[in-house]
Amino acid sequence: MSQFLIEQIRYLHEEIEVIEKAIAELIDEKVKNKKKNILYDYAINYLVEKIQEKSQLLLEYYNDEDKLKKEEMLFLSGKTGEDKNDIWKNYYERVKYIRDYHKKTNIKKIEIKSSKLYKLEALKCSKYKQSFSPLEKKGKYVDLNKFYNDFINMKKIKEFRISMFKKKEMASSHNRKRKKTGDNNNNNNNNNNVTTANINEFKEMDYVTYLHNFTRFIYIPRYCKYRNEEYKSYVENLLNYMISFFEKINVLVDCKTTYKEYEDDFYNKFNNKEIKGWEKYTYDLDFYCNINNKLYASEGTYQSYLKCKNYDNDLKKYLNKKYTVEQLEEIKKNIEKEDMNLARCEYLIQLYANILNKIIQRTIQNIQRKQAYTIDEIQKKKYKEEEQEDEKKRKKEYHLLSLMDHNNNELNNQNILLQDLENNNLSISMSDDDSSDMSNISNNEDQQKDLDEENEDDNDDNKPIYNPLNLPLGFDNKPIPYWLYKLHGLSKEYKCEICGNYSYFGRATFEKHFYEWRHSFGMKCLKIPNTLHFKEITKIEDALNLYEKLKKETQMNIFKPDQEVECEDSKGNVMNIKAYDDLKRQGLL
């Protein structure tokens, strides 16, 4: 017969309620600390999993497949298979059994944890730190270094990029020479020199440009993708990383449903041929050869293959195989599957990149900021990190020593009490509650310490910038030097009434603003054309007066045919056209 089963059920219900309370507290803290959303999501997920485990146990107890719960209920109600009602007899038997059991065994007192303890445990035991790499910095940045190296080392795509670079350089060099000389013959003679210079000038893209352009799969031609295992593995691995990173950031979200929605959307678009670059299958393209199952880059390479000896050999092999209609259909289906797989990966990568766009932009800014650091700044940063690690180690050692001293003092006090009691011929039984309390205290202190360390681990991005002079920030998100501030005259303020009394700091920005949208919009509202005549004019009255003056000057300079056109009669008299017409009408000429 089972013992204490109903008490276990009650205990589990109570524990679930406490965990729910801890989750509510975590949600409140999450709203207040928006910078640590991911940490709180992981903690909430940890507690939700605990609730699921305990509720699974409760379901097993309630289903009562062993019928132990039913037996215990009958025992408590006094129905032990006989007609007599033995409630009190069963009660005293149970009490006796409990006393005997506790005399034989030392059982620690079962205590329900408080919501604070569950909260601290969730913040400590969650897989928040383990799930992210050091470069990702707990979900703040994306780590695509591996995929960057894979992309730049793909042979076909690298050759394509080099060829495109050569064409651009050749075209630009030809245009320059035509402008200078105007002779096409000299350009043809110097082609070889240009190509060698271009090969030397070609530089591989850096990591930042890759992050800007890694979703632009349209610019990669189809012949670089078809039957390219490197590209296939690259795209699949990149998609898996994007999905896993999205899942790691959104722990509480059902990511499988979003993936299914995106996939269904892809299949609909692919069947309707709405995806750019994948409107046709590979076997329907112009430069595809079904004899050797290859896709060529251009018409020239395709025609050269058809004229060479390899084509004849491949044709003989193809005819010797004697493919049936079913086999040819299978080959087509395999090509369709391969195309669909590549298109699916590319489409989903673009969708996930749009979702993670903020994080990708943040990584780009972080890399650019790091690139702007000087050697001295990097060394200072390393020195600070080492100092912080040393301080953490010292704190840990101090904390351990304090705990050891605390435990030693308590043991000494207990020994003194025992000696006093022995002298007085008294006996004392040490309870297990004290030891459990001590362990709980130490665990709580450790958990609070870990939380404090997590709160202290703020990045340099979140720290306030020390800028007492209110200097403008530079490219590295730091205030520019004061000498540069004075050199450019950024301390001088220029106000423009036409721009709505907007203030510009520095002469360069003030001169530039005359061609910007704000000033041109103000001039448009005044119904004045934004020409060079109105440069350096910031007041509305001055602009209106100048516009009226310019109007008058233009009217004075306008050609008037009635007054300025002169005519000559048969006698040689010169007159204007109006007088000439009047005399002609009167018949005097």
Side-chain angles (χ1 to χ4, degrees), residues 197-235:
N198 289 334
I199 292 163
N200 294 326
E201 286 173 6
F202 177 75
K203 290 180 182 178
E204 195 58 74
M205 68 167 74
D206 58 348
Y207 185 48
V208 175
T209 53
Y210 172 76
L211 287 172
H212 279 296
N213 303 313
F214 77 97
T215 55
R216 296 182 179 180
F217 299 106
I218 302 165
Y219 298 103
I220 300 169
R222 288 283 291 274
Y223 77 91
C224 293
K225 299 175 185 178
Y226 183 64
R227 293 181 67 190
N228 190 353
E229 292 297 325
E230 288 180 349
Y231 182 76
K232 186 181 177 182
S233 62
Y234 161 75
V235 173

Side-chain angles (χ1 to χ4, degrees), residues 10 58 63 71 117 190 217 291 341 378 408 424 528:
R10 187 202 64 77
L58 279 169
N63 289 329
E71 288 179 7
L117 286 172
N190 294 323
F217 299 106
I291 291 163
N341 186 26
I378 292 163
N408 288 327
N424 294 322
I528 299 170

Side-chain angles (χ1 to χ4, degrees), residues 14 72 100 336 416 480 488:
E14 193 174 353
E72 190 167 345
D100 294 337
E336 287 175 5
I416 291 161
I480 62 170
H488 289 288

Side-chain angles (χ1 to χ4, degrees), residues 67-283:
K67 295 184 179 179
L68 297 173
K69 180 171 162 285
K70 189 178 180 181
E71 288 179 7
E72 190 167 345
M73 291 293 289
L74 289 169
F75 181 80
L76 290 171
S77 60
K79 296 174 183 178
T80 55
E82 299 175 1
D83 295 333
K84 294 179 181 179
N85 194 355
D86 298 331
I87 293 171
W88 294 109
K89 185 182 176 182
N90 294 338
Y91 172 74
Y92 285 117
E93 281 180 4
R94 179 59 64 87
V95 170
K96 187 182 177 183
Y97 173 78
I98 290 164
R99 282 176 179 171
D100 294 337
Y101 183 77
H102 279 282
K103 280 179 184 178
K104 290 176 184 177
T105 57
N106 289 324
I107 298 173
K108 290 183 180 180
K109 191 177 179 182
I110 297 169
E111 292 181 357
I112 296 168
K113 292 180 183 177
S114 63
S115 59
K116 287 182 180 178
L117 286 172
Y118 272 116
K119 189 173 72 175
L120 291 168
E121 185 186 342
L123 290 167
K124 182 187 175 184
C125 299
S126 62
K127 298 176 182 178
Y128 176 57
K129 291 181 182 178
Q130 299 171 3
S131 55
F132 295 104
S133 66
L135 286 173
E136 288 172 350
K137 286 193 177 178
K138 299 174 184 177
K140 284 191 174 181
Y141 307 118
V142 174
D143 183 15
L144 297 176
N145 285 298
K146 182 191 171 188
F147 306 106
Y148 164 67
N149 291 323
D150 292 340
F151 181 77
I152 61 172
N153 291 318
M154 275 190 273
K155 191 177 178 182
K156 279 187 178 180
I157 294 170
K158 192 170 185 179
E159 287 174 356
F160 167 71
R161 285 188 286 116
I162 290 167
S163 65
M164 290 298 291
F165 179 78
K166 283 181 187 178
K167 286 177 183 177
K168 284 181 182 177
E169 289 295 317
M170 288 279 286
S172 62
S173 63
H174 282 310
N175 290 328
R176 285 170 196 164
K177 286 180 181 179
R178 279 174 188 170
K179 285 177 182 177
K180 288 180 181 178
T181 59
D183 296 328
N184 293 325
N185 295 323
N186 294 327
N187 293 329
N188 294 324
N189 293 326
N190 294 323
N191 279 338
N192 295 322
N193 295 325
V194 171
T195 52
T196 53
N198 289 334
I199 292 163
N200 294 326
E201 286 173 6
F202 177 75
K203 290 180 182 178
E204 195 58 74
M205 68 167 74
D206 58 348
Y207 185 48
V208 175
T209 53
Y210 172 76
L211 287 172
H212 279 296
N213 303 313
F214 77 97
T215 55
R216 296 182 179 180
F217 299 106
I218 302 165
Y219 298 103
I220 300 169
R222 288 283 291 274
Y223 77 91
C224 293
K225 299 175 185 178
Y226 183 64
R227 293 181 67 190
N228 190 353
E229 292 297 325
E230 288 180 349
Y231 182 76
K232 186 181 177 182
S233 62
Y234 161 75
V235 173
E236 287 175 353
N237 293 329
L238 182 58
L239 177 62
N240 291 328
Y241 174 78
M242 299 291 276
I243 292 165
S244 65
F245 188 81
F246 180 72
E247 287 175 355
K248 284 189 282 186
I249 287 170
N250 303 303
V251 185
L252 301 174
V253 179
D254 189 8
C255 299
K256 290 180 181 178
T257 54
T258 55
Y259 178 76
K260 283 180 182 177
E261 286 176 3
Y262 290 155
E263 207 170 22
D264 294 336
D265 187 27
F266 161 74
Y267 286 125
N268 290 327
K269 286 186 177 179
F270 188 80
N271 292 325
N272 295 325
K273 297 179 180 179
E274 293 177 0
I275 295 170
K276 289 182 180 179
W278 296 97
E279 290 86 0
K280 292 181 181 179
Y281 289 112
T282 306
Y283 55 76

